[in-house]
Amino acid sequence: MARATGKSEAVYERLKGDIESLRMRPGAKLSEVQLGEELGASRTPVREAIRRLAREGLVDFVPGEVARVAAISLGGVRALFEFRMLLEPRAAASVATAGSADERVLAPFHELLERLEVFDESFRALDSAAQVGSYQQFYDITEAFDQAVIAACRNPYLARTIRDLRSQTVRLRHLSHSGPRRMLTSLEEHRAMLKAVTHGDAQAAEAACRHHLAQTLQALIDSLTSQDLTFGTDVSLDVAG
Amino acid sequence: MARATGKSEAVYERLKGDIESLRMRPGAKLSEVQLGEELGASRTPVREAIRRLAREGLVDFVPGEVARVAAISLGGVRALFEFRMLLEPRAAASVATAGSADERVLAPFHELLERLEVFDESFRALDSAAQVGSYQQFYDITEAFDQAVIAACRNPYLARTIRDLRSQTVRLRHLSHSGPRRMLTSLEEHRAMLKAVTHGDAQAAEAACRHHLAQTLQALIDSLTSQDLTFGTDVSLDVAG
DNA sequence: CAGTCGTAGTCTGTATACAGAAGAGTGTGC
DNA sequence: GCACACTCTTCTGTATACAGACTACGACTG
């Protein structure tokens, strides 16, 4: 059963999902033995999964100590987005550039733009209650966009670094669901990014991506600071940093 | 003997040194059992070290297969420097900015500038043979500069990503020792970066860093393409990518 | 009653054992 | 002589065992 890497991968995916979805609260202990028993694996795959998650920033890991689900801090969120704003606009621009040289790389983005337009139309026809129900559909599109950028990214270092940051972003999204209004503006931002990329306009893609990240960060901060009483001690929203 | 993390760290440092210095050739197999016997450790710490090195790009690791010392390719070097040119100029600029707000962060850079000037003077007084002997001294200064930037970098994501790339850069330096002429221009480039940072001139720091990286890449490419017969099969200089 | 020492429980780091799988090398058939 | 197949060695993935260290709780003492 060796070369399959089944257990280790399974434990990793399971833990990642539990942490991203906040089923495991920030600060919760991640005991290797305990997790192993719960997930039906021995310590070895659990150890490996914890190390991988620590690399992605989903786990706070200090060598001798018990690993914990990574805390969420306002400073950490700002740093994350500052870093993303350095990487992702560049990646979007490079995809746009590559697209104008080779049309084939644009195929996924044309398709996504189409999906987005279809979704937009149906979304606007719903009342607010039904709109909330279609959140997941929208997230799927945005997630597909991010993955498409990563896949189309020529520079493997850039692609890997952006990918490693995805899971943290996903968790933050679970932490603060934004309202329909933010969703509509986000939709518009994605349309702008997609149009820029499909038109091969690197500069516009870069600017659109930067703008989208800035808006997302702002919405996130608004949401976190207004909810800090709700989450309070649970989420360990330490403002340090 | 638990909370010390001695073995794992020791194996990591040892392997890192061996790979950086090219004592272990690119493509060489890294068998867990064999390394464990050689380094007097069991497979567990060796496994962990190999994973860490894979993250830093010093080891090519595919789940089921034997890990190998990372190959060196011209495309890989270009991608590495393209990525570094995205990160490090930004870091240098942010340090310059932080320095103009708080003088204390500039202390290491003032000291490095002083060390650089002293070295420069003594270096120019030597003949070429003696100059080669002082390479290490210069490398120490440049390495200290890079570490100082990392340490002063406010954004932990940026700092960590830059740090993770250091070991690859160090290995490339070992692969292609540049001549005294390149060293003098590199020295000049470092002087420019240090002056910009200590003057709190973010824009100049960014430009100087970008220029330094571009020059370093060019020197590296020149060196690699002229030496490819020398290294040839040994170094697996696959041009793919 | 408070503070301190001791002990038990739990956790990580490391070593070792076992099973499945891949690759190399050899031998045979064409 | 070459190609294919089989076996055998070796390697990784996983499980488990052991040792040192830290924590927390409780009892004892001042």
Side-chain angles (χ1 to χ4, degrees):
Chain A
M1 194 246 287
R3 304 287 166 98
T5 321
K7 277 284 172 58
S8 186
E9 187 77 12
V11 171
Y12 165 77
E13 290 292 348
R14 169 69 182 276
L15 278 179
K16 186 170 113 173
D18 283 350
I19 297 176
E20 278 180 350
S21 66
L22 293 170
R23 281 191 292 274
M24 282 185 169
R25 291 306 183 99
K29 288 185 183 176
L30 293 172
S31 159
E32 294 174 6
V33 284
Q34 184 187 333
L35 286 175
E37 288 169 5
E38 288 178 20
L39 304 180
S42 77
R43 284 182 57 202
T44 314
V46 175
R47 264 178 96 79
E48 210 143 310
I50 287 179
R51 300 304 201 282
R52 281 178 70 182
L53 292 165
R55 162 157 66 105
E56 295 176 15
L58 243 40
V59 163
D60 285 339
F61 174 71
V62 179
E65 301 174 15
V66 190
R68 290 172 177 277
V69 176
I72 297 172
S73 74
L74 212 50
V77 172
R78 283 210 178 87
L80 173 67
F81 273 77
E82 185 185 31
F83 192 48
R84 289 184 64 194
M85 283 181 74
L86 178 61
L87 303 179
E88 300 185 18
R90 167 68 66 97
S94 86
V95 171
T97 303
S100 38
D102 180 2
E103 279 285 326
R104 286 171 299 181
V105 309
L106 295 183
F109 297 95
H110 281 295
E111 186 200 319
L112 275 167
L113 186 54
E114 183 60 27
R115 273 177 70 187
L116 187 82
E117 301 295 5
V118 171
F119 173 79
D120 189 5
E121 203 159 333
S122 68
F123 182 78
R124 290 178 194 276
L126 302 174
D127 58 49
S128 346
Q131 282 182 338
V132 171
S134 59
Y135 270 29
Q136 190 56 51
Q137 204 179 339
F138 178 63
Y139 286 151
D140 288 347
I141 293 176
T142 65
E143 186 66 28
F145 172 74
D146 288 329
Q147 293 297 338
V149 171
I150 292 169
C153 186
R154 285 292 196 285
N155 190 303
Y157 295 98
L158 183 55
R160 190 169 68 80
T161 308
I162 293 176
R163 191 196 336 260
D164 283 351
L165 262 28
R166 289 293 327 146
S167 46
Q168 280 201 70
T169 305
V170 171
R171 183 167 71 144
L172 288 174
R173 181 194 297 155
H174 281 269
L175 184 63
S176 109
H177 288 287
S178 37
R181 208 186 50 186
R182 167 62 194 143
M183 209 166 104
L184 277 174
T185 59
S186 175
L187 193 150
E188 201 55 50
E189 289 154 24
H190 277 85
R191 196 203 316 270
M193 289 190 286
L194 281 165
K195 284 196 170 172
V197 168
T198 52
H199 285 56
D201 188 338
Q203 210 161 358
E206 187 170 338
C209 184
R210 196 185 313 280
H211 177 252
H212 168 64
L213 286 170
Q215 293 295 311
T216 304
L217 173 60
Q218 193 54 54
L220 207 46
I221 289 177
D222 289 346
S223 177
L224 288 178
T225 49
S226 69
Q227 288 182 358
D228 62 1
L229 288 178
T230 312
F231 287 100
T233 53
D234 267 331
V235 172
S236 77
L237 238 172
D238 56 286
V239 194
Chain B
M1 193 246 286
R3 302 289 167 95
T5 322
K7 277 282 171 58
S8 186
E9 187 77 12
V11 172
Y12 165 78
E13 290 293 347
R14 169 68 183 277
L15 278 178
K16 187 170 112 171
D18 284 349
I19 297 176
E20 277 180 350
S21 66
L22 294 168
R23 282 191 291 274
M24 281 184 169
R25 292 304 182 99
K29 289 184 182 176
L30 293 172
S31 160
E32 293 173 5
V33 284
Q34 185 187 334
L35 286 174
E37 288 170 5
E38 289 178 21
L39 304 179
S42 77
R43 283 182 56 201
T44 314
V46 174
R47 265 178 95 78
E48 209 142 314
I50 287 178
R51 300 306 200 280
R52 281 178 70 182
L53 292 165
R55 162 156 64 107
E56 296 176 14
L58 243 39
V59 164
D60 285 338
F61 174 72
V62 180
E65 301 173 15
V66 191
R68 290 172 178 276
V69 177
I72 297 172
S73 73
L74 212 49
V77 172
R78 283 210 178 88
L80 172 66
F81 272 78
E82 185 185 32
F83 193 50
R84 290 184 64 194
M85 284 180 75
L86 178 61
L87 304 179
E88 299 185 18
R90 168 67 67 96
S94 87
V95 171
T97 303
S100 39
D102 180 1
E103 279 284 325
R104 286 170 299 180
V105 310
L106 294 183
F109 298 96
H110 281 295
E111 187 200 318
L112 275 167
L113 187 53
E114 182 60 25
R115 272 177 70 187
L116 188 81
E117 300 295 4
V118 170
F119 173 80
D120 188 7
E121 203 158 332
S122 69
F123 182 78
R124 290 178 194 277
L126 302 175
D127 56 49
S128 340
Q131 282 183 337
V132 171
S134 60
Y135 270 29
Q136 189 57 49
Q137 203 178 340
F138 178 62
Y139 286 150
D140 288 347
I141 293 176
T142 65
E143 184 66 26
F145 172 73
D146 289 328
Q147 293 297 338
V149 171
I150 291 169
C153 187
R154 284 292 196 288
N155 190 304
Y157 295 98
L158 183 55
R160 190 170 68 80
T161 307
I162 293 176
R163 191 197 336 262
D164 283 351
L165 263 28
R166 288 298 320 148
S167 46
Q168 281 201 70
T169 304
V170 171
R171 182 168 72 144
L172 289 173
R173 181 194 295 153
H174 280 269
L175 184 64
S176 109
H177 288 287
S178 36
R181 207 186 51 186
R182 168 62 194 143
M183 207 166 106
L184 276 175
T185 60
S186 174
L187 193 150
E188 201 55 50
E189 289 154 24
H190 277 84
R191 196 204 314 273
M193 290 191 284
L194 281 166
K195 283 195 171 174
V197 167
T198 52
H199 286 56
D201 188 339
Q203 209 162 358
E206 187 170 337
C209 185
R210 196 186 313 279
H211 177 252
H212 168 62
L213 285 170
Q215 293 295 310
T216 304
L217 173 61
Q218 193 53 56
L220 207 47
I221 289 178
D222 290 346
S223 178
L224 288 179
T225 49
S226 69
Q227 286 183 358
D228 62 1
L229 288 178
T230 312
F231 286 100
T233 53
D234 266 332
V235 171
S236 77
L237 239 172
D238 57 287
V239 194

